[in-house]
Amino acid sequence: MAARLAIRERVLGPDHPDTATSLNNLALLYRAQGRLAEAEPLCERALAIYERALGPDHPATATGLHNLAGLYRAQGRLAEAEPLYRRALAIRERALGSDRPDTATGLHNLAGLYRAQGRLDEAEPLCERALAIVERALGPDHPDTATVLHNLAWLYHDQGRLAEAAPLCERALAIVERALGPEHPHTRRVRDNLAEIKKRRP
């Protein structure tokens, strides 16, 4: 990935949108490896390139904002992440429409940030809207639908609404068992969370 970035910088130039895409991809790899401090300048540089080359309202700029927000969230910098998530979501809604999976991703991640901040009432409508979008756009049995179902279930759990949380988590588990297999780490996490919800139910 670093080699591809070097080639694009040499052939296309340091300020080309494709160079920014390679910067973003390398930053995401570093983030997955826990190398957050190394990922940050790459994300920031990619965003700056997108804004200059494509404009502040381009979907690629929204992707750059979204990735930098996710990095800030991973670093615990929630207050800095929020305006980036909000701006990315606004761009996607304007540029792509309100019923696109990318818009649902923006809604879902902003909801996750609010939940991490304890702002459960603000998170709920965003998560519910994201679920409606992915169910329509991707289908009721898509793994992305399962992810939003699971997170909405856990939001309800946090609100003490266990009777509403359980069927959502059961549905998410059925999807990921089919799509990923019963022993996949994500499947096990959903199964464990469902057990926690059931244990807490009166």
Side-chain angles (χ1 to χ4, degrees):
M1 210 167 282
R4 182 177 296 176
L5 170 60
I7 291 168
R8 284 183 169 174
E9 284 185 305
R10 191 170 60 249
V11 173
L12 301 174
D15 296 318
H16 193 280
D18 287 350
T19 300
T21 298
S22 288
L23 286 163
N24 251 332
N25 290 341
L26 184 57
L28 290 172
L29 175 64
Y30 285 168
R31 179 181 158 192
Q33 294 173 332
R35 299 161 64 182
L36 304 184
E38 292 173 82
E40 184 175 345
L42 302 182
C43 277
E44 290 173 341
R45 188 176 153 212
L47 175 58
I49 294 169
Y50 285 140
E51 288 185 305
R52 282 195 307 269
L54 302 175
D57 296 318
H58 194 278
T61 300
T63 298
L65 287 161
H66 190 266
N67 289 345
L68 183 56
L71 180 64
Y72 285 167
R73 181 180 173 187
Q75 292 172 322
R77 297 158 63 182
L78 304 186
E80 293 174 79
E82 181 180 350
L84 303 185
Y85 272 140
R86 291 174 68 88
R87 188 176 154 213
L89 175 59
I91 293 169
R92 285 172 168 171
E93 287 189 299
R94 283 195 306 270
L96 304 175
S98 59
D99 291 322
R100 293 288 298 274
D102 281 353
T103 300
T105 298
L107 289 161
H108 183 240
N109 286 335
L110 183 58
L113 179 72
Y114 286 165
R115 182 179 158 224
Q117 293 173 318
R119 298 159 64 182
L120 304 183
D121 289 344
E122 293 174 80
E124 182 183 342
L126 300 182
C127 204
E128 289 174 342
R129 188 175 152 215
L131 177 59
I133 293 169
V134 294
E135 285 185 312
R136 283 195 303 270
L138 303 176
D141 297 319
H142 193 278
D144 288 355
T145 301
T147 297
V148 183
L149 279 164
H150 176 250
N151 289 342
L152 180 57
W154 208 242
L155 175 63
Y156 288 165
H157 165 275
D158 290 349
Q159 293 173 321
R161 297 160 60 184
L162 303 178
E164 294 170 82
L168 297 185
C169 205
E170 287 170 347
R171 190 175 149 211
L173 179 59
I175 295 168
V176 294
E177 282 184 329
R178 285 195 302 271
L180 304 175
E183 298 307 318
H184 190 277
H186 183 57
T187 304
R188 289 201 299 269
R189 185 163 64 91
V190 175
R191 189 183 299 115
D192 289 346
N193 286 344
L194 177 58
E196 175 67 20
I197 290 168
K198 289 183 172 179
K199 184 173 71 177
R200 289 194 55 203
R201 284 188 68 177

